[in-house]
Amino acid sequence: MPAPGRRLHAAGATATIGVGVGLPSTQCPECTVSTLPPTSLHPLDAPQHPGGRTPLTPPNPVALRLGYLGLLPFVLGALLSLLVREEAHPYVVLALAGYAAVIISFLGGIHWGLGMRASVPSPTPFAWAVVPSLLAWVAVVMPAYAGLVIDGLLLIVCYLVDRRSYPAHGLSAWLTLRFRLTVVATLSCFVAAARI
């Protein structure tokens, strides 16, 4: 939370937050507005420069571990789709399609959060945020051979949208992780779909 009496700027707008004792400020090298020290804010709470750029936010080590652990259901689902008997196969691919839908919804939800943080509201991030969830829901109720392909394609589309939007929010450093996770998750969906 910004300290009282601090001036923050975002997309060209300047605001003073309350009055009282505050933290020492630093001068932004690109403008004349004071900012809080970077350690006093959550990385996503860093003030934006008038040009809309934000400081680069590196991936959190916990998020890295959880992201890679989140691949286990994809890989396990793809492997099981190749190994289980015919009568268990529909349950395995349904579980994989359901998990893929949850992850795709999560990826869309990130854009809802980014839209909520915008100083100038735009309908674009909110509209995009619901599209992956709706399409993933449709993919879950489709036959698995088609639904898993749609899930794989949605994972690719979500990555491409993130690749365009993350830099504007200072999240470029997360794109390497997003790429790796997308490749493994997408291949898992396609492998399971090919087995059907």
Side-chain angles (χ1 to χ4, degrees):
M1 171 98 185
R6 288 289 169 228
R7 292 178 54 157
L8 299 179
H9 61 282
T14 303
T16 303
I17 309 298
V19 178
V21 179
L23 298 170
S25 66
T26 58
Q27 192 68 28
C28 173
E30 297 180 20
C31 60
T32 58
V33 179
S34 295
T35 61
L36 292 172
T39 57
S40 66
L41 295 173
H42 183 278
L44 291 179
D45 291 334
Q48 286 190 335
H49 293 283
R53 295 179 313 277
T54 57
L56 193 62
T57 306
N60 181 306
V62 174
L64 288 171
R65 286 188 207 101
L66 290 174
Y68 289 124
L69 284 172
L71 290 176
L72 287 176
F74 280 109
V75 173
L76 185 62
L79 288 174
L80 286 175
S81 74
L82 300 173
L83 300 174
V84 298
R85 288 183 287 188
E86 205 59 40
E87 60 270 8
H89 195 262
Y91 299 106
V92 170
V93 293
L94 179 60
L96 179 57
Y99 184 70
V102 168
I103 295 302
I104 292 165
S105 296
F106 173 80
L107 295 173
I110 291 171
H111 290 270
W112 190 278
L114 293 174
M116 289 174 55
R117 298 189 39 36
S119 59
V120 179
S122 167
T124 304
F126 299 109
W128 167 248
V130 299
V131 169
S133 301
L134 293 173
L135 294 177
W137 169 64
V138 170
V140 168
V141 298
M142 293 178 72
Y145 66 87
L148 285 169
V149 171
I150 290 173
D151 284 337
L153 293 174
L154 283 171
L155 288 165
I156 293 169
V157 170
C158 286
Y159 171 75
L160 294 174
V161 169
D162 291 350
R163 189 171 163 86
R164 287 185 56 119
S165 62
Y166 277 22
H169 297 281
L171 301 172
S172 296
W174 289 82
L175 288 172
T176 300
L177 174 67
R178 283 284 291 111
F179 177 77
R180 292 173 182 165
L181 299 178
T182 299
V183 167
V184 175
T186 301
L187 288 176
S188 297
C189 289
F190 290 162
V191 165
R195 161 63 169 80
I196 299 168

